[in-house]
């Protein structure tokens, strides 16, 4: 697997003054009354006025035109993280105090410029901001709780058309061995026949275990690739996706070639505290390398949130902040 790097125009650097102003606004917003999902999203949207113009312009450009790897890295978004509590050791911790709450609001505020924050009722208690951290006993899980096994290539919630358009990973604590991997469908060099097969609805995807779902017997057949040739979209999950017809050798072979091409196009980045990595979930697959957790309160800890780019489409799904 090759490990390329992000282009310089995919990176936004904030100053210490920028981060301090955002933190001040976020802490004030945290103190406001109301703790429901709608109130949380509304308070986060108010933080947009505290974001520096350069970041707002970069997000606008990214939303409209993407980037080389269809990702955007914001560095130094959070100032000094002293006062951060121990890493929770669970993806569904109780309230962790104003420092963590302010970081979560900051994440929501930045991502709100790309769409409507939402989550699934079946995912981590329906939390708009989710915790990504190793969990004891779940080391081999293909979820946010895993660590001792490679998190295989996937898009978020590939099994449903209601999956997010963008997601963000905000680092509170890093881990040098844990490399976040991204691969843009733009970077894939697929043979024409393989691409033709991948554009046909010849594949099924099971719900992943993070949703607590049992295997669904009636899975719709879907395509892996869609959209215009010059700007395709991808729906791929190396673990939960397979040919709809077990005897379809061409479909199985196409998935194998795709996986090899994704490996070749991989970009690796070790998230540092205060960094936010944003990815286009319709054009990027992602994963994570193996790392060894310590379970001593200093483990890798990210916050994640997802957004739907079309607020009208989001409303039509019949739920304000949680999708079933």
């Amino acid at each position: 697997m090759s490990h390329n790097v992000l282009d310089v125009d995919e990176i936004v650097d904030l100053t210490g003054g920028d981060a301090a102003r955002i933190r001040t606004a976020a802490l004030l917003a945290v103190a406001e009354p109301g703790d429901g999902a709608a109130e949380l999203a509304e308070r986060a949207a108010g933080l947009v006025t505290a974001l520096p113009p350069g970041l707002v312009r970069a997000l606008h450009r990214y939303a409209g035109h993407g980037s080389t790897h269809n990702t955007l890295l914001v560095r130094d978004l959070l100032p000094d993280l002293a006062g951060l509590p121990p890493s929770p050791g669970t993806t569904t911790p109780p309230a962790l105090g104003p420092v963590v709450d302010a970081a979560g609001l900051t994440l929501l505020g930045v991502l709100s410029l790309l769409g409507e924050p939402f989550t699934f009722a079946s995912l981590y208690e329906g939390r708009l901001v989710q915790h990504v951290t190793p969990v004891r006993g779940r080391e081999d899980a293909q979820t946010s709780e895993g660590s001792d096994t490679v998190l295989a290539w996937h898009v978020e919630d590939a099994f449903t058309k209601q999956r997010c358009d963008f997601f963000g990973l905000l680092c509170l604590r890093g881990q040098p061995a844990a490399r976040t991997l991204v691969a843009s469908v733009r970077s894939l060099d697929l043979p024409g026949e393989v691409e033709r097969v991948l554009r046909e609805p010849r594949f099924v995807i099971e719900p992943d275990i993070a949703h607590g779902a049992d295997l669904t017997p009636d899975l719709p057949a879907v395509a892996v690739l869609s959209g215009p040739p010059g700007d395709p979209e991808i729906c791929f999950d190396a673990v939960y996706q397979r040919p709809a017809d077990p005897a379809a050798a061409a479909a199985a072979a196409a998935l194998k070639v795709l996986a090899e091409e994704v490996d070749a196009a991989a970009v690796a980045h070790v998230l540092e505290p205060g960094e936010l990595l944003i990815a286009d979930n319709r054009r990027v697959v992602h994963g994570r390398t193996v790392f060894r957790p310590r379970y001593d309160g200093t483990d890798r800890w990210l916050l994640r949130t997802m957004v739907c780019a079309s607020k009208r489409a989001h409303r039509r799904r019949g739920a304000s902040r949680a999708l079933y």
Side-chain angles (χ1 to χ4, degrees):
M1 180 185 295
S2 64
H3 285 151
N4 304 306
V5 296
L6 294 174
D7 288 357
V8 65
D9 61 355
E10 297 177 297
I11 301 172
V12 181
D13 288 299
L14 271 60
T15 67
D18 292 334
R21 282 189 293 274
I22 296 168
R23 163 69 69 83
T24 298
L27 287 171
L28 288 172
V30 163
E32 294 178 15
D35 57 1
E39 291 87 355
L40 190 66
E42 185 176 317
R43 291 204 303 273
L47 295 183
V48 170
T49 58
L51 301 181
L55 175 57
V56 175
R57 288 197 296 268
L59 288 163
H60 179 81
R61 183 172 59 249
Y62 173 65
H65 305 288
S67 65
T68 304
H69 301 100
N70 282 310
T71 58
L72 187 69
L73 179 68
V74 182
R75 296 195 292 206
D76 298 317
L77 178 61
L78 302 179
D80 181 17
L81 282 165
L84 190 67
S87 301
T90 174
T91 51
T92 53
L96 295 170
V99 173
V100 178
D101 289 347
L105 274 182
T106 300
L107 171 61
L108 283 171
V110 173
L111 267 291
S112 70
L113 286 171
L114 298 175
E116 180 82 351
F118 81 98
T119 189
F120 295 86
S122 57
L123 186 65
Y124 302 128
E125 300 179 344
R127 300 183 182 205
L128 275 185
V129 177
Q130 299 137 23
H131 297 263
V132 177
T133 192
V135 176
R136 189 183 294 275
R138 302 286 293 162
E139 289 84 358
D140 293 328
Q142 283 291 320
T143 69
S144 301
E145 302 168 327
S147 54
D148 285 0
T149 190
V150 170
L151 183 61
W153 291 112
H154 66 287
V155 302
E156 293 292 344
D157 307 304
F159 69 94
T160 174
K161 291 180 179 179
Q162 298 177 355
R163 62 189 176 276
C164 67
D165 295 310
F166 300 96
F167 67 89
L169 297 171
L170 177 60
C171 183
L172 301 185
R173 281 200 178 93
Q175 219 289 351
R179 291 173 293 183
T180 298
L181 305 173
V182 295
S184 171
V185 64
R186 287 179 178 176
S187 303
L188 305 183
D189 185 17
L190 295 168
E193 177 60 19
V194 169
E195 182 171 346
R196 184 188 67 77
V197 172
L198 292 173
R199 284 181 173 274
E200 297 174 352
R202 301 176 62 174
F203 308 88
V204 293
I205 309 173
E206 298 166 358
D208 68 69
I209 60 172
H211 287 264
D214 295 326
L215 299 187
T216 306
D218 233 356
L219 298 170
V222 298
V224 176
L225 300 179
S226 60
D231 189 18
E233 296 186 5
I234 187 168
C235 183
F236 178 55
D237 191 305
V239 173
Y240 295 103
Q241 191 169 40
R242 66 178 189 274
D245 178 2
L255 283 180
K256 184 173 184 295
V257 172
L258 175 64
E260 292 168 352
E261 281 299 314
V262 168
D263 278 346
V267 173
H269 180 74
V270 177
L271 279 163
E272 300 287 343
E275 289 186 342
L276 167 60
L277 182 68
I278 302 171
D280 184 330
N281 196 46
R282 304 284 175 163
R283 294 180 174 88
V284 169
V285 292
H286 66 285
R288 189 215 63 241
T289 60
V290 171
F291 67 99
R292 186 58 54 87
R294 295 176 292 269
Y295 302 124
D296 61 356
T298 65
D299 280 323
R300 183 176 187 256
W301 184 9
L302 313 179
L303 300 180
R304 178 181 62 191
T305 201
M306 306 181 290
V307 298
C308 173
S310 170
K311 295 187 178 183
R312 177 171 295 167
H314 184 59
R315 289 197 304 269
R316 285 176 177 172
R317 287 168 183 156
S320 60
R321 294 298 188 279
L323 303 182
Y324 292 85

